[in-house]
Amino acid sequence: MTPATPLWEFVDITKAYPGVLANDKVCIRLMPGSIHGLLGENGCGKSTMIKTLSGVQQPDSGQILHHGKPVTISDPQAARELGVATVFQEFSIVPTLSVGENIFLGNMPRSRFGVIDWAKVHNEAARVLAEMDVDVSPEAITGSLSVGEQQLVEIAKAVAMDARMIILDEPTAALGEDEIERLHQLLRNMRERGTAILYVSHRLDEVERIVDEVTILRNGCVVRASGETNINVSEIVSAMVGEDIGEHYPKEQNATKDIVLEAAGLATNSGVKDVSFSLHRGEVLGLGGVLGSGRTEIARALFGTDELTGGQITLNGKPVRFRREIDAIRAGLALVPENRKFDGLFFNFRASGNVTAASLGGLSRFGVLNLKAEEQATHDLIRDLEISTQAEEKTVNFLSGGNQQKIVIARWLFSASDILILDEPTQGIDIGAKIAVYKLINRLTRAGKSIILISSDHDELLAMSDRIAVVQHGTIVRTVDASDLTHDDLVRASADTPQSKPKEAFA
Amino acid sequence: MKRIFDTQLIGPFAAMVIVALIVALTTERFLNPGNLSNLSLQVSIVALIAIGSTIVIFAAGIDLSSGSMVALLTMILAQMLKFVGIPLVLALPLILFMGGLLGLFIGLITAYGRIPSFITTLAALIAFRGLALTFNNGSPIFSLDPALEPIFYGKLFGVPMPFFYLVFFYVLAAFTMNFTKLGREIYAVGGNPAAAVLTGINVRKVQTTTFVIAGFMTAVGAILMSARLNSGSPNYGQTLELQAIAAAVVGGASLAGGRGNILATLMGAMTIVIVQNGLNLNAAPSSVQNIVLGLIILLAVGIDMWRAEISGLMGRMFGRTSSQQSSNVKKEA
Ligand SMILES: Nc1ncnc2c1ncn2[C@@H]1O[C@H](COP(=O)(O)OP(=O)(O)OP(=O)(O)O)[C@@H](O)[C@H]1O
Ligand SMILES: [Mg+2]
């Protein structure tokens, strides 16, 4: 095969869902040995395209050419046989199975008598994980890993197939900088070997670093075609959004001197130890650190999810003890969890039910809900946060990831919380939505609310925080003004000791 | 208002109408006023119990205990009226209270003991039947109280009393599910328990409450059963729990929890009873009735599961798509 012929060509792919034309005559050409970025706002149809390419669904019309010959990809198994491996946006790992089992799910190596060859499962899984530079045991139960590690297992599944084309739908949304760099190295190695890579991400900085060509979608249509090699972030953004978006990080300074929350020597059995910090009214306190450094665990300790084994939380000068989440919520805390799919959304509700779920008490009199107020408030929030208006009529499982995330945040905007813990609030949402979230943060701090921001996007953390607490191994090693820190400082500060330490017992 | 009578009702309603049409066309006596009022009597007990079963299902649980609980409560009622001498006006509220209490036990063990409701209510299904047999040496008790029968057979303005109970309880249940905090919390717990915890909903309390409601509604059914036959028997209510669950499922409630409309359960119960009635009028043996009931359940769930495919197929057949981009889509078609 000469490198000039595309490995795959997708011509005029059209796919409609009830009421939405998700892909409208989309054409993409994938060359061997090239990383192709598929970009666009939330809901523009990226995942729809990927589901078609990987046989999960059939296009309404269009043509698929493999080595120039028309083929149909009738189901995921057919895609696999054609050498296509896909990492979907939605997790498809089974949490109760081991890492090795997940990596080979549906494709288990067997010995001569048809029984599963466990030695091979574990050896092969270990080899793939080593190639990816991931420090996770093949025997570990996948559900016990952090979200980021689970994402890496998800990617390992695709890598293990040794495919000629690999599709990644937002593989880095749950990853820290360190893991992203390792993933990029892996992709570069695959590109060397002539693999075609289709890559979706909302982190434009990494797109700029790794992608060779781009296709940009807007409202289901291609607005920038394949083959563009000169990639410039601001051009991409204006092509995606269709207009100039202005300041990327519109940070306002709203921090005051009053202390609203103080943590002293917090410890839990989940690995938090000796965590002390104070949070001011109107402040954004950023928690920086690598994946698995214990930031999510600190959030859980504050919110009453994990029991404190030591230390004291003081709220507005009064010592408090949260035995359960509901105690924390009553005291005015809110947690926007890292994993919106499992911990955040009610997929059986429309936007309204999701928005008001944490405020049903305030919304009802004698147990009867004020549905008019609910619809009105939801309507306003949908307008303010620029959420797809479909959310008013449809249950949220039909929405794109970015719209779902905005709805989870809207829930805590609607509730009367004073302190919001935002765990990776912009994970997987488009640039426009990210800016909407930043503006929301401003709106909250302006109103005197305080925010603890957890983010693996260092630029975002630096730009949106007033102060940054650097977390390592479950403890805060230092707290500094965000303005005194550069991107490189933060990377170094959070990673200056190897994070694999606590896991060595595992392997 | 719009939300209670939403699209979820169209399917179950259509199913009910179609079934009624078929039975009416194939069976002469079906539309006799006598048969129709008999029908509302027949559906009442299942449909009332199904309110509780459905609400438990909304919260992602299952209640297998109701049939046996009916037997147990009819025996307790009979015992109280016939042998203890408790007056009817006192015995009836006591039975309702006991139903709620039994539900509370099941709910507490399920929610706080973290045992799946399939197991706790299966245990209750077996144990309650056994408990019912401990009264009166396991023999039925007859001729309880002449004032009992009018509760079931009585008429108001010429309409059988059970009709009023159905209206009352279904309106109350629809109100609760659609307009109250409790109803919303039940759907939330069924939809995503992990998210419910993080939004401050007391998941265990909500789960327990659904079983209290189920126990109470089962007691209502038990009273009607006793009134209908003026007796109590340890053999009453066999497979009633399955018919109640079937009514919920035919009405479109998702066994995974979080989805469904309580009024659709009434239609589900009617559909089932109309089919049974049609087969009865045509003197079909009970074996055939059970086979048909099984097929209805399969069909109802199947239609629900394949809804997307079916509507897609219809869309393609009739070139119809809803809303804004329809012109674009048509071009493609
Ligand atoms: N199963 C479905 N049924 C109906 N509509 C759907 C379905 N899946 C997606 N959609 C709609 O199709 C459009 C495209 O969605 P898609 O998931 O492809 O977006 P995306 O570009 O991947 O967005 P994101 O960046 O948020 O992941 C959206 O309007 C979405 O609401
Ligand atoms: Mg997507």
Side-chain angles (χ1 to χ4, degrees):
Chain A
M1 183 204 330
T2 59
T5 50
L7 182 60
W8 284 92
E9 237 177 314
F10 304 97
V11 186
D12 286 347
I13 300 291
T14 296
K15 177 78 194 174
Y17 293 120
V20 193
L21 194 60
N23 284 151
D24 187 4
K25 296 196 171 160
V26 175
C27 302
I28 297 180
R29 261 153 148 232
L30 297 171
M31 310 300 283
S34 167
I35 302 179
H36 192 120
L38 180 61
L39 309 175
E41 293 187 279
N42 293 123
C44 70
K46 304 182 293 296
S47 297
T48 303
M49 189 67 195
I50 284 171
K51 283 181 203 150
T52 306
L53 307 194
S54 50
V56 173
Q57 62 190 16
Q58 297 303 310
D60 297 342
S61 64
Q63 209 184 15
I64 300 177
L65 303 173
H66 183 222
H67 290 307
K69 283 198 284 295
V71 290
T72 49
I73 308 177
S74 50
D75 55 43
Q77 188 58 36
R80 182 181 292 187
E81 278 154 19
L82 287 164
V84 179
T86 308
V87 177
F88 290 101
Q89 186 172 16
E90 312 295 326
F91 277 12
S92 55
I93 49 164
V94 183
T96 51
L97 295 183
S98 75
V99 170
E101 286 171 293
N102 264 304
I103 290 177
F104 291 103
L105 202 64
N107 198 17
M108 285 277 184
R110 286 170 200 258
S111 71
R112 255 185 306 158
F113 306 110
V115 285
I116 292 170
D117 184 348
W118 286 110
K120 196 166 175 204
V121 168
H122 288 138
N123 290 340
E124 282 291 295
R127 186 187 60 76
V128 171
L129 292 167
E131 187 190 337
M132 292 172 63
D133 203 3
V134 172
D135 185 26
V136 167
S137 158
E139 271 135 89
I141 296 301
T142 316
S144 70
L145 304 177
S146 73
V147 179
E149 287 166 331
Q150 294 183 19
Q151 177 68 65
L152 292 170
V153 172
E154 191 85 53
I155 295 169
K157 243 168 94 170
V159 173
M161 283 185 213
D162 212 13
R164 304 291 309 146
M165 164 157 111
I166 181 164
I167 303 174
L168 301 116
D169 196 352
E170 295 193 40
T172 56
L175 299 186
E177 300 257 327
D178 197 30
E179 291 77 19
I180 293 180
E181 191 35 58
R182 277 187 271 166
L183 175 67
H184 284 180
Q185 193 48 50
L186 178 82
L187 294 180
R188 285 190 205 104
N189 294 344
M190 292 174 126
R191 171 169 61 188
E192 288 298 301
R193 292 200 297 260
T195 312
I197 299 166
L198 185 65
Y199 194 81
V200 174
S201 174
H202 287 295
R203 310 259 300 250
L204 298 180
D205 54 329
E206 57 159 318
V207 166
E208 200 175 28
R209 266 185 283 159
I210 190 165
V211 161
D212 302 315
E213 324 168 64
V214 292
T215 296
I216 301 178
L217 298 181
R218 189 162 74 227
N219 295 331
C221 304
V222 175
V223 289
R224 272 297 181 83
S226 304
E228 299 215 13
T229 41
N230 232 339
I231 300 155
N232 164 316
V233 167
S234 63
E235 266 178 37
I236 294 177
V237 170
S238 46
M240 265 168 57
V241 185
E243 60 191 89
D244 198 8
I245 52 156
E247 178 58 73
H248 196 137
Y249 296 111
K251 170 70 179 159
E252 282 178 17
Q253 307 289 337
N254 292 318
T256 64
K257 286 264 169 311
D258 327 343
I259 291 178
V260 286
L261 179 132
E262 201 156 18
L266 301 188
T268 66
N269 285 332
S270 56
V272 173
K273 43 185 193 283
D274 199 25
V275 164
S276 304
F277 65 89
S278 56
L279 179 68
H280 298 255
R281 186 178 313 283
E283 181 185 37
V284 179
L285 175 67
L287 298 189
V290 294
L291 189 73
S293 59
R295 294 167 304 169
T296 295
E297 286 73 13
I298 292 175
R300 290 164 62 93
L302 287 173
F303 203 58
T305 303
D306 292 346
E307 195 192 346
L308 289 185
T309 53
Q312 179 65 55
I313 300 171
T314 311
L315 204 61
N316 297 315
K318 282 197 275 303
V320 289
R321 180 147 203 102
F322 302 142
R323 283 175 35 249
R324 287 175 307 165
E325 291 86 351
I326 196 166
D327 299 333
I329 291 166
R330 290 208 178 111
L333 267 71
L335 173 69
V336 175
E338 172 180 30
N339 190 335
R340 64 176 168 259
K341 181 161 182 195
F342 293 112
D343 298 336
L345 287 168
F346 298 102
F347 287 100
N348 51 332
F349 288 162
R350 295 174 294 129
S352 54
N354 276 290
V355 166
T356 57
S359 325
L360 294 175
L363 198 69
S364 54
R365 271 184 70 191
F366 307 115
V368 179
L369 293 172
N370 184 344
L371 295 185
K372 250 208 183 108
E374 174 177 60
E375 292 298 331
Q376 187 58 50
T378 307
H379 182 82
D380 293 348
L381 280 166
I382 284 177
R383 189 196 51 213
D384 287 5
L385 308 189
E386 294 170 27
I387 297 170
S388 158
T389 48
Q390 287 185 35
E392 285 195 71
E393 290 306 321
K394 288 190 186 170
T395 50
V396 298
N397 53 329
F398 290 114
L399 300 179
S400 72
N403 283 308
Q404 292 180 350
Q405 183 69 6
K406 287 192 211 169
I407 288 175
V408 179
I409 299 179
R411 173 183 307 160
W412 298 106
L413 272 179
F414 182 69
S415 82
S417 322
D418 295 319
I419 298 170
L420 280 88
I421 306 168
L422 308 179
D423 197 352
E424 305 286 0
T426 62
Q427 182 175 309
I429 67 179
D430 68 52
I431 180 89
K434 277 182 187 170
I435 293 174
V437 170
Y438 302 144
K439 288 188 177 149
L440 270 175
I441 290 177
N442 287 335
R443 195 168 122 179
L444 291 161
T445 52
R446 213 182 304 142
K449 306 191 180 213
S450 312
I451 287 170
I452 296 175
L453 175 65
I454 300 175
S455 173
S456 297
D457 183 336
H458 284 136
D459 290 329
E460 163 182 301
L461 197 67
L462 283 166
M464 292 310 298
S465 306
D466 295 297
R467 287 182 307 146
I468 290 181
V470 179
V471 180
Q472 281 175 10
H473 308 312
T475 195
I476 292 177
V477 290
R478 61 193 176 117
T479 307
V480 283
D481 277 348
S483 53
D484 294 345
L485 222 52
T486 66
H487 184 107
D488 288 349
D489 292 341
L490 183 56
V491 173
R492 239 176 290 120
S494 38
D496 63 3
T497 42
Q499 63 144 158
S500 51
K501 270 254 171 63
K503 286 205 204 83
E504 261 156 22
F506 232 55
Chain B
M1 236 21 206
K2 177 168 122 204
R3 296 282 154 211
I4 323 181
F5 299 104
D6 61 7
T7 48
Q8 293 183 49
L9 284 181
I10 297 174
F13 185 74
M16 183 180 80
V17 170
I18 291 169
V19 166
L21 275 177
I22 294 172
V23 175
L25 289 177
T26 56
T27 316
E28 274 177 26
R29 278 174 300 150
F30 179 71
L31 289 176
N32 283 358
N35 186 53
L36 286 180
S37 104
N38 187 23
L39 214 61
S40 86
L41 291 182
Q42 258 188 42
V43 79
S44 61
I45 295 176
V46 173
L48 286 167
I49 291 174
I51 290 177
S53 316
T54 307
I55 288 177
V56 169
I57 288 173
F58 285 161
I62 190 95
D63 181 12
L64 298 172
S65 71
S66 51
S68 298
M69 198 192 286
V70 163
L72 175 60
L73 290 174
T74 63
M75 283 307 278
I76 296 178
L77 180 63
Q79 184 86 9
M80 289 197 295
L81 293 176
K82 189 101 181 187
F83 302 127
V84 186
I86 297 176
L88 191 63
V89 285
L90 205 66
L92 295 184
L94 265 175
I95 288 295
L96 294 175
F97 176 76
M98 275 184 225
L101 201 65
L102 290 175
L104 179 67
F105 281 136
I106 294 175
L108 289 176
I109 295 169
T110 306
Y112 292 86
R114 273 167 290 155
I115 300 174
S117 57
F118 186 88
I119 301 299
T120 52
T121 61
L122 180 65
L125 163 86
I126 298 164
F128 287 168
R129 187 72 64 189
L131 263 177
L133 282 163
T134 62
F135 292 90
N136 199 32
N137 295 322
S139 306
I141 307 172
F142 297 107
S143 317
L144 302 180
D145 189 327
L148 199 54
E149 289 191 350
I151 293 176
F152 189 78
Y153 293 107
K155 287 191 176 174
L156 194 63
F157 315 118
V159 182
M161 289 304 289
F163 177 81
F164 295 101
Y165 311 143
L166 280 176
V167 171
F168 175 78
F169 283 111
Y170 269 95
V171 167
L172 188 66
F175 180 81
T176 305
M177 290 315 299
N178 293 293
F179 293 105
T180 70
K181 179 167 175 260
L182 174 65
R184 187 63 70 77
E185 289 179 340
I186 289 170
Y187 280 124
V189 166
N192 186 348
V197 167
L198 284 178
T199 44
I201 293 170
N202 192 336
V203 171
R204 290 174 177 171
K205 193 168 133 192
V206 170
Q207 284 169 337
T208 307
T209 308
T210 61
F211 284 99
V212 174
I213 295 171
F216 182 87
M217 290 315 301
T218 302
V220 172
I223 290 174
L224 291 187
M225 186 74 94
S226 276
R228 181 180 189 176
L229 301 156
N230 198 8
S231 60
S233 164
N235 295 319
Y236 286 166
Q238 309 259 19
T239 73
L240 199 52
E241 69 282 343
L242 298 182
Q243 293 178 41
I245 292 168
V249 169
V250 172
S254 156
L255 287 180
R259 286 172 209 268
N261 184 315
I262 188 77
L263 293 180
T265 294
L266 179 58
M267 295 169 192
M270 303 262 269
T271 307
I272 292 172
V273 170
I274 290 170
V275 170
Q276 285 175 337
N277 183 257
L279 293 170
N280 261 331
L281 293 175
N282 289 310
S286 68
S287 52
V288 173
Q289 297 196 15
N290 284 338
I291 293 168
V292 172
L293 182 59
L295 289 176
I296 292 177
I297 294 174
L298 262 187
L299 195 66
V301 176
I303 289 176
D304 193 47
M305 299 302 286
W306 310 315
R307 189 175 283 165
E309 284 85 344
I310 293 171
S311 74
L313 196 70
M314 302 270 240
R316 241 167 285 149
M317 276 165 61
F318 303 115
R320 165 188 63 102
T321 23
S322 46
S323 111
Q324 72 267 41
Q325 268 133 348
S326 54
S327 58
N328 278 338
V329 179
K330 258 190 214 134
K331 254 192 321 212
E332 294 304 319

